[in-house]
PDB file of all heavy atoms in Angstrom:
ATOM      1  N   GLY A 402      28.715 -15.673 -14.900  1.00  0.00           N
ATOM      2  CA  GLY A 402      28.359 -17.051 -15.185  1.00  0.00           C
ATOM      3  C   GLY A 402      28.513 -17.932 -13.976  1.00  0.00           C
ATOM      4  O   GLY A 402      28.770 -17.487 -12.868  1.00  0.00           O
ATOM      5  N   LEU A 403      28.373 -19.274 -14.222  1.00  0.00           N
ATOM      6  CA  LEU A 403      28.450 -20.242 -13.151  1.00  0.00           C
ATOM      7  C   LEU A 403      29.795 -20.947 -13.103  1.00  0.00           C
ATOM      8  O   LEU A 403      29.970 -21.875 -12.336  1.00  0.00           O
ATOM      9  CB  LEU A 403      27.336 -21.286 -13.317  1.00  0.00           C
ATOM     10  CG  LEU A 403      25.905 -20.750 -13.326  1.00  0.00           C
ATOM     11  CD1 LEU A 403      24.925 -21.886 -13.529  1.00  0.00           C
ATOM     12  CD2 LEU A 403      25.596 -19.992 -12.053  1.00  0.00           C
ATOM     13  N   ALA A 404      30.742 -20.511 -13.925  1.00  0.00           N
ATOM     14  CA  ALA A 404      32.011 -21.229 -13.994  1.00  0.00           C
ATOM     15  C   ALA A 404      32.804 -21.098 -12.704  1.00  0.00           C
ATOM     16  O   ALA A 404      33.484 -22.019 -12.274  1.00  0.00           O
ATOM     17  CB  ALA A 404      32.839 -20.702 -15.174  1.00  0.00           C
ATOM     18  N   ALA A 405      32.725 -19.903 -12.038  1.00  0.00           N
ATOM     19  CA  ALA A 405      33.525 -19.663 -10.845  1.00  0.00           C
ATOM     20  C   ALA A 405      32.839 -20.135  -9.571  1.00  0.00           C
ATOM     21  O   ALA A 405      33.409 -20.010  -8.497  1.00  0.00           O
ATOM     22  CB  ALA A 405      33.846 -18.166 -10.730  1.00  0.00           C
ATOM     23  N   VAL A 406      31.616 -20.661  -9.676  1.00  0.00           N
ATOM     24  CA  VAL A 406      30.868 -21.078  -8.490  1.00  0.00           C
ATOM     25  C   VAL A 406      31.340 -22.469  -8.072  1.00  0.00           C
ATOM     26  O   VAL A 406      31.497 -23.351  -8.919  1.00  0.00           O
ATOM     27  CB  VAL A 406      29.353 -21.084  -8.789  1.00  0.00           C
ATOM     28  CG1 VAL A 406      28.570 -21.539  -7.561  1.00  0.00           C
ATOM     29  CG2 VAL A 406      28.908 -19.708  -9.222  1.00  0.00           C
ATOM     30  N   PRO A 407      31.567 -22.699  -6.774  1.00  0.00           N
ATOM     31  CA  PRO A 407      31.915 -24.062  -6.329  1.00  0.00           C
ATOM     32  C   PRO A 407      30.819 -25.061  -6.703  1.00  0.00           C
ATOM     33  O   PRO A 407      29.641 -24.718  -6.840  1.00  0.00           O
ATOM     34  CB  PRO A 407      32.040 -23.909  -4.808  1.00  0.00           C
ATOM     35  CG  PRO A 407      32.343 -22.463  -4.594  1.00  0.00           C
ATOM     36  CD  PRO A 407      31.624 -21.732  -5.675  1.00  0.00           C
ATOM     37  N   SER A 408      31.218 -26.311  -6.869  1.00  0.00           N
ATOM     38  CA  SER A 408      30.280 -27.358  -7.277  1.00  0.00           C
ATOM     39  C   SER A 408      29.265 -27.651  -6.173  1.00  0.00           C
ATOM     40  O   SER A 408      29.479 -27.299  -5.012  1.00  0.00           O
ATOM     41  CB  SER A 408      31.054 -28.629  -7.619  1.00  0.00           C
ATOM     42  OG  SER A 408      31.686 -29.147  -6.452  1.00  0.00           O
ATOM     43  N   PRO A 409      28.127 -28.293  -6.506  1.00  0.00           N
ATOM     44  CA  PRO A 409      27.159 -28.659  -5.462  1.00  0.00           C
ATOM     45  C   PRO A 409      27.775 -29.536  -4.379  1.00  0.00           C
ATOM     46  O   PRO A 409      27.438 -29.389  -3.202  1.00  0.00           O
ATOM     47  CB  PRO A 409      26.072 -29.407  -6.242  1.00  0.00           C
ATOM     48  CG  PRO A 409      26.189 -28.918  -7.638  1.00  0.00           C
ATOM     49  CD  PRO A 409      27.636 -28.613  -7.851  1.00  0.00           C
ATOM     50  N   ARG A 410      28.671 -30.431  -4.783  1.00  0.00           N
ATOM     51  CA  ARG A 410      29.321 -31.298  -3.781  1.00  0.00           C
ATOM     52  C   ARG A 410      30.186 -30.480  -2.848  1.00  0.00           C
ATOM     53  O   ARG A 410      30.199 -30.717  -1.626  1.00  0.00           O
ATOM     54  CB  ARG A 410      30.162 -32.348  -4.499  1.00  0.00           C
ATOM     55  CG  ARG A 410      30.861 -33.340  -3.570  1.00  0.00           C
ATOM     56  CD  ARG A 410      31.525 -34.454  -4.373  1.00  0.00           C
ATOM     57  NE  ARG A 410      32.201 -35.407  -3.506  1.00  0.00           N
ATOM     58  CZ  ARG A 410      33.476 -35.315  -3.140  1.00  0.00           C
ATOM     59  NH1 ARG A 410      34.221 -34.283  -3.583  1.00  0.00           N
ATOM     60  NH2 ARG A 410      34.026 -36.231  -2.350  1.00  0.00           N
ATOM     61  N   ALA A 411      30.914 -29.489  -3.388  1.00  0.00           N
ATOM     62  CA  ALA A 411      31.751 -28.642  -2.544  1.00  0.00           C
ATOM     63  C   ALA A 411      30.900 -27.796  -1.603  1.00  0.00           C
ATOM     64  O   ALA A 411      31.248 -27.615  -0.425  1.00  0.00           O
ATOM     65  CB  ALA A 411      32.631 -27.741  -3.409  1.00  0.00           C
ATOM     66  N   ALA A 412      29.765 -27.285  -2.095  1.00  0.00           N
ATOM     67  CA  ALA A 412      28.883 -26.496  -1.228  1.00  0.00           C
ATOM     68  C   ALA A 412      28.300 -27.353  -0.114  1.00  0.00           C
ATOM     69  O   ALA A 412      28.197 -26.923   1.042  1.00  0.00           O
ATOM     70  CB  ALA A 412      27.769 -25.862  -2.060  1.00  0.00           C
ATOM     71  N   ALA A 413      27.895 -28.587  -0.441  1.00  0.00           N
ATOM     72  CA  ALA A 413      27.373 -29.493   0.588  1.00  0.00           C
ATOM     73  C   ALA A 413      28.452 -29.819   1.612  1.00  0.00           C
ATOM     74  O   ALA A 413      28.179 -29.873   2.825  1.00  0.00           O
ATOM     75  CB  ALA A 413      26.842 -30.769  -0.056  1.00  0.00           C
ATOM     76  N   ALA A 414      29.691 -30.033   1.137  1.00  0.00           N
ATOM     77  CA  ALA A 414      30.792 -30.308   2.062  1.00  0.00           C
ATOM     78  C   ALA A 414      31.057 -29.106   2.970  1.00  0.00           C
ATOM     79  O   ALA A 414      31.367 -29.266   4.159  1.00  0.00           O
ATOM     80  CB  ALA A 414      32.050 -30.669   1.274  1.00  0.00           C
ATOM     81  N   TRP A 415      30.916 -27.900   2.427  1.00  0.00           N
ATOM     82  CA  TRP A 415      31.129 -26.702   3.236  1.00  0.00           C
ATOM     83  C   TRP A 415      30.060 -26.586   4.334  1.00  0.00           C
ATOM     84  O   TRP A 415      30.364 -26.222   5.470  1.00  0.00           O
ATOM     85  CB  TRP A 415      31.120 -25.473   2.347  1.00  0.00           C
ATOM     86  CG  TRP A 415      31.339 -24.182   3.077  1.00  0.00           C
ATOM     87  CD1 TRP A 415      30.387 -23.330   3.553  1.00  0.00           C
ATOM     88  CD2 TRP A 415      32.602 -23.624   3.449  1.00  0.00           C
ATOM     89  NE1 TRP A 415      30.959 -22.266   4.185  1.00  0.00           N
ATOM     90  CE2 TRP A 415      32.330 -22.416   4.131  1.00  0.00           C
ATOM     91  CE3 TRP A 415      33.924 -24.019   3.264  1.00  0.00           C
ATOM     92  CZ2 TRP A 415      33.347 -21.599   4.624  1.00  0.00           C
ATOM     93  CZ3 TRP A 415      34.926 -23.194   3.756  1.00  0.00           C
ATOM     94  CH2 TRP A 415      34.637 -22.010   4.428  1.00  0.00           C
ATOM     95  N   VAL A 416      28.832 -26.915   4.002  1.00  0.00           N
ATOM     96  CA  VAL A 416      27.756 -26.884   4.997  1.00  0.00           C
ATOM     97  C   VAL A 416      28.036 -27.906   6.108  1.00  0.00           C
ATOM     98  O   VAL A 416      27.843 -27.621   7.296  1.00  0.00           O
ATOM     99  CB  VAL A 416      26.393 -27.152   4.327  1.00  0.00           C
ATOM    100  CG1 VAL A 416      25.295 -27.332   5.379  1.00  0.00           C
ATOM    101  CG2 VAL A 416      26.031 -26.012   3.393  1.00  0.00           C
ATOM    102  N   VAL A 417      28.498 -29.109   5.737  1.00  0.00           N
ATOM    103  CA  VAL A 417      28.835 -30.123   6.727  1.00  0.00           C
ATOM    104  C   VAL A 417      29.997 -29.651   7.595  1.00  0.00           C
ATOM    105  O   VAL A 417      29.994 -29.836   8.819  1.00  0.00           O
ATOM    106  CB  VAL A 417      29.182 -31.455   6.028  1.00  0.00           C
ATOM    107  CG1 VAL A 417      29.707 -32.480   7.032  1.00  0.00           C
ATOM    108  CG2 VAL A 417      27.968 -32.017   5.305  1.00  0.00           C
ATOM    109  N   LEU A 418      30.991 -29.009   6.985  1.00  0.00           N
ATOM    110  CA  LEU A 418      32.141 -28.495   7.730  1.00  0.00           C
ATOM    111  C   LEU A 418      31.710 -27.461   8.762  1.00  0.00           C
ATOM    112  O   LEU A 418      32.154 -27.488   9.918  1.00  0.00           O
ATOM    113  CB  LEU A 418      33.147 -27.884   6.746  1.00  0.00           C
ATOM    114  CG  LEU A 418      34.373 -27.182   7.333  1.00  0.00           C
ATOM    115  CD1 LEU A 418      35.237 -28.163   8.091  1.00  0.00           C
ATOM    116  CD2 LEU A 418      35.172 -26.491   6.229  1.00  0.00           C
ATOM    117  N   ALA A 419      30.818 -26.544   8.374  1.00  0.00           N
ATOM    118  CA  ALA A 419      30.362 -25.501   9.299  1.00  0.00           C
ATOM    119  C   ALA A 419      29.504 -26.077  10.418  1.00  0.00           C
ATOM    120  O   ALA A 419      29.492 -25.537  11.534  1.00  0.00           O
ATOM    121  CB  ALA A 419      29.581 -24.433   8.534  1.00  0.00           C
ATOM    122  N   ASP A 420      28.808 -27.173  10.152  1.00  0.00           N
ATOM    123  CA  ASP A 420      27.960 -27.767  11.183  1.00  0.00           C
ATOM    124  C   ASP A 420      28.773 -28.620  12.155  1.00  0.00           C
ATOM    125  O   ASP A 420      28.502 -28.610  13.355  1.00  0.00           O
ATOM    126  CB  ASP A 420      26.871 -28.619  10.526  1.00  0.00           C
ATOM    127  CG  ASP A 420      25.889 -29.182  11.533  1.00  0.00           C
ATOM    128  OD1 ASP A 420      24.929 -28.482  11.884  1.00  0.00           O
ATOM    129  OD2 ASP A 420      26.085 -30.335  11.978  1.00  0.00           O
ATOM    130  N   ARG A 421      29.762 -29.355  11.660  1.00  0.00           N
ATOM    131  CA  ARG A 421      30.514 -30.277  12.518  1.00  0.00           C
ATOM    132  C   ARG A 421      31.605 -29.584  13.317  1.00  0.00           C
ATOM    133  O   ARG A 421      31.866 -29.962  14.458  1.00  0.00           O
ATOM    134  CB  ARG A 421      31.157 -31.385  11.663  1.00  0.00           C
ATOM    135  CG  ARG A 421      30.200 -32.310  10.944  1.00  0.00           C
ATOM    136  CD  ARG A 421      29.362 -33.121  11.906  1.00  0.00           C
ATOM    137  NE  ARG A 421      30.135 -33.804  12.925  1.00  0.00           N
ATOM    138  CZ  ARG A 421      30.702 -34.987  12.760  1.00  0.00           C
ATOM    139  NH1 ARG A 421      30.580 -35.620  11.599  1.00  0.00           N
ATOM    140  NH2 ARG A 421      31.370 -35.555  13.748  1.00  0.00           N
ATOM    141  N   TRP A 422      32.263 -28.581  12.755  1.00  0.00           N
ATOM    142  CA  TRP A 422      33.391 -27.930  13.431  1.00  0.00           C
ATOM    143  C   TRP A 422      33.250 -26.413  13.359  1.00  0.00           C
ATOM    144  O   TRP A 422      34.058 -25.726  12.720  1.00  0.00           O
ATOM    145  CB  TRP A 422      34.713 -28.366  12.791  1.00  0.00           C
ATOM    146  CG  TRP A 422      34.951 -29.839  12.866  1.00  0.00           C
ATOM    147  CD1 TRP A 422      35.388 -30.546  13.948  1.00  0.00           C
ATOM    148  CD2 TRP A 422      34.740 -30.804  11.820  1.00  0.00           C
ATOM    149  NE1 TRP A 422      35.486 -31.885  13.646  1.00  0.00           N
ATOM    150  CE2 TRP A 422      35.096 -32.073  12.347  1.00  0.00           C
ATOM    151  CE3 TRP A 422      34.303 -30.724  10.500  1.00  0.00           C
ATOM    152  CZ2 TRP A 422      35.002 -33.238  11.592  1.00  0.00           C
ATOM    153  CZ3 TRP A 422      34.209 -31.879   9.754  1.00  0.00           C
ATOM    154  CH2 TRP A 422      34.557 -33.121  10.291  1.00  0.00           C
ATOM    155  N   PRO A 423      32.235 -25.831  14.003  1.00  0.00           N
ATOM    156  CA  PRO A 423      32.041 -24.382  13.915  1.00  0.00           C
ATOM    157  C   PRO A 423      33.168 -23.585  14.555  1.00  0.00           C
ATOM    158  O   PRO A 423      33.533 -22.511  14.052  1.00  0.00           O
ATOM    159  CB  PRO A 423      30.711 -24.157  14.651  1.00  0.00           C
ATOM    160  CG  PRO A 423      30.561 -25.344  15.546  1.00  0.00           C
ATOM    161  CD  PRO A 423      31.206 -26.483  14.826  1.00  0.00           C
ATOM    162  N   CYS A 424      33.766 -24.086  15.647  1.00  0.00           N
ATOM    163  CA  CYS A 424      34.823 -23.332  16.317  1.00  0.00           C
ATOM    164  C   CYS A 424      36.108 -23.326  15.485  1.00  0.00           C
ATOM    165  O   CYS A 424      36.690 -22.266  15.238  1.00  0.00           O
ATOM    166  CB  CYS A 424      35.079 -23.935  17.702  1.00  0.00           C
ATOM    167  SG  CYS A 424      36.387 -23.101  18.619  1.00  0.00           S
ATOM    168  N   ARG A 425      36.549 -24.485  15.048  1.00  0.00           N
ATOM    169  CA  ARG A 425      37.797 -24.545  14.276  1.00  0.00           C
ATOM    170  C   ARG A 425      37.678 -23.834  12.935  1.00  0.00           C
ATOM    171  O   ARG A 425      38.619 -23.185  12.481  1.00  0.00           O
ATOM    172  CB  ARG A 425      38.209 -26.007  14.084  1.00  0.00           C
ATOM    173  CG  ARG A 425      38.776 -26.646  15.344  1.00  0.00           C
ATOM    174  CD  ARG A 425      38.978 -28.135  15.199  1.00  0.00           C
ATOM    175  NE  ARG A 425      39.708 -28.707  16.337  1.00  0.00           N
ATOM    176  CZ  ARG A 425      39.160 -28.980  17.510  1.00  0.00           C
ATOM    177  NH1 ARG A 425      37.857 -28.751  17.688  1.00  0.00           N
ATOM    178  NH2 ARG A 425      39.892 -29.488  18.500  1.00  0.00           N
ATOM    179  N   LEU A 426      36.513 -23.957  12.293  1.00  0.00           N
ATOM    180  CA  LEU A 426      36.327 -23.245  11.031  1.00  0.00           C
ATOM    181  C   LEU A 426      36.303 -21.738  11.260  1.00  0.00           C
ATOM    182  O   LEU A 426      36.903 -20.977  10.476  1.00  0.00           O
ATOM    183  CB  LEU A 426      35.029 -23.707  10.362  1.00  0.00           C
ATOM    184  CG  LEU A 426      34.675 -23.008   9.039  1.00  0.00           C
ATOM    185  CD1 LEU A 426      35.773 -23.217   7.996  1.00  0.00           C
ATOM    186  CD2 LEU A 426      33.338 -23.508   8.500  1.00  0.00           C
ATOM    187  N   SER A 427      35.626 -21.285  12.316  1.00  0.00           N
ATOM    188  CA  SER A 427      35.591 -19.848  12.602  1.00  0.00           C
ATOM    189  C   SER A 427      36.987 -19.323  12.897  1.00  0.00           C
ATOM    190  O   SER A 427      37.357 -18.213  12.486  1.00  0.00           O
ATOM    191  CB  SER A 427      34.662 -19.576  13.786  1.00  0.00           C
ATOM    192  OG  SER A 427      33.331 -19.959  13.496  1.00  0.00           O
ATOM    193  N   TRP A 428      37.790 -20.103  13.624  1.00  0.00           N
ATOM    194  CA  TRP A 428      39.162 -19.688  13.925  1.00  0.00           C
ATOM    195  C   TRP A 428      39.983 -19.578  12.648  1.00  0.00           C
ATOM    196  O   TRP A 428      40.738 -18.615  12.453  1.00  0.00           O
ATOM    197  CB  TRP A 428      39.793 -20.687  14.889  1.00  0.00           C
ATOM    198  CG  TRP A 428      41.236 -20.409  15.190  1.00  0.00           C
ATOM    199  CD1 TRP A 428      42.332 -21.032  14.669  1.00  0.00           C
ATOM    200  CD2 TRP A 428      41.725 -19.405  16.065  1.00  0.00           C
ATOM    201  NE1 TRP A 428      43.468 -20.504  15.171  1.00  0.00           N
ATOM    202  CE2 TRP A 428      43.139 -19.480  16.045  1.00  0.00           C
ATOM    203  CE3 TRP A 428      41.121 -18.441  16.879  1.00  0.00           C
ATOM    204  CZ2 TRP A 428      43.935 -18.639  16.790  1.00  0.00           C
ATOM    205  CZ3 TRP A 428      41.926 -17.603  17.633  1.00  0.00           C
ATOM    206  CH2 TRP A 428      43.322 -17.699  17.571  1.00  0.00           C
ATOM    207  N   THR A 429      39.845 -20.540  11.753  1.00  0.00           N
ATOM    208  CA  THR A 429      40.594 -20.499  10.500  1.00  0.00           C
ATOM    209  C   THR A 429      40.185 -19.293   9.658  1.00  0.00           C
ATOM    210  O   THR A 429      41.042 -18.593   9.086  1.00  0.00           O
ATOM    211  CB  THR A 429      40.354 -21.795   9.707  1.00  0.00           C
ATOM    212  OG1 THR A 429      40.633 -22.920  10.551  1.00  0.00           O
ATOM    213  CG2 THR A 429      41.242 -21.856   8.489  1.00  0.00           C
ATOM    214  N   LEU A 430      38.888 -19.029   9.580  1.00  0.00           N
ATOM    215  CA  LEU A 430      38.414 -17.885   8.796  1.00  0.00           C
ATOM    216  C   LEU A 430      38.851 -16.564   9.417  1.00  0.00           C
ATOM    217  O   LEU A 430      39.167 -15.604   8.688  1.00  0.00           O
ATOM    218  CB  LEU A 430      36.890 -17.938   8.670  1.00  0.00           C
ATOM    219  CG  LEU A 430      36.316 -19.112   7.874  1.00  0.00           C
ATOM    220  CD1 LEU A 430      34.798 -19.142   7.956  1.00  0.00           C
ATOM    221  CD2 LEU A 430      36.763 -19.040   6.414  1.00  0.00           C
ATOM    222  N   GLN A 431      38.884 -16.498  10.748  1.00  0.00           N
ATOM    223  CA  GLN A 431      39.328 -15.271  11.400  1.00  0.00           C
ATOM    224  C   GLN A 431      40.816 -15.038  11.160  1.00  0.00           C
ATOM    225  O   GLN A 431      41.242 -13.890  10.919  1.00  0.00           O
ATOM    226  CB  GLN A 431      39.040 -15.358  12.902  1.00  0.00           C
ATOM    227  CG  GLN A 431      39.405 -14.102  13.689  1.00  0.00           C
ATOM    228  CD  GLN A 431      38.628 -12.892  13.226  1.00  0.00           C
ATOM    229  OE1 GLN A 431      37.458 -12.999  12.879  1.00  0.00           O
ATOM    230  NE2 GLN A 431      39.291 -11.736  13.198  1.00  0.00           N
ATOM    231  N   CYS A 432      41.615 -16.100  11.211  1.00  0.00           N
ATOM    232  CA  CYS A 432      43.047 -15.957  10.916  1.00  0.00           C
ATOM    233  C   CYS A 432      43.260 -15.529   9.462  1.00  0.00           C
ATOM    234  O   CYS A 432      44.138 -14.709   9.162  1.00  0.00           O
ATOM    235  CB  CYS A 432      43.770 -17.271  11.191  1.00  0.00           C
ATOM    236  SG  CYS A 432      43.796 -17.742  12.930  1.00  0.00           S
ATOM    237  N   LEU A 433      42.431 -16.081   8.551  1.00  0.00           N
ATOM    238  CA  LEU A 433      42.526 -15.682   7.148  1.00  0.00           C
ATOM    239  C   LEU A 433      42.171 -14.213   6.981  1.00  0.00           C
ATOM    240  O   LEU A 433      42.840 -13.468   6.245  1.00  0.00           O
ATOM    241  CB  LEU A 433      41.600 -16.565   6.310  1.00  0.00           C
ATOM    242  CG  LEU A 433      41.479 -16.235   4.825  1.00  0.00           C
ATOM    243  CD1 LEU A 433      42.825 -16.392   4.116  1.00  0.00           C
ATOM    244  CD2 LEU A 433      40.423 -17.116   4.167  1.00  0.00           C
TER     245      LEU A 433
END
Side-chain angles (χ1 to χ4, degrees):
L403 301 179
V406 179
S408 66
R410 182 173 180 269
W415 180 266
V416 171
V417 173
L418 175 64
D420 184 85
R421 296 296 309 275
W422 300 282
C424 179
R425 286 171 171 79
L426 178 60
S427 298
W428 176 259
T429 307
L430 294 174
Q431 183 61 37
C432 294
L433 176 63

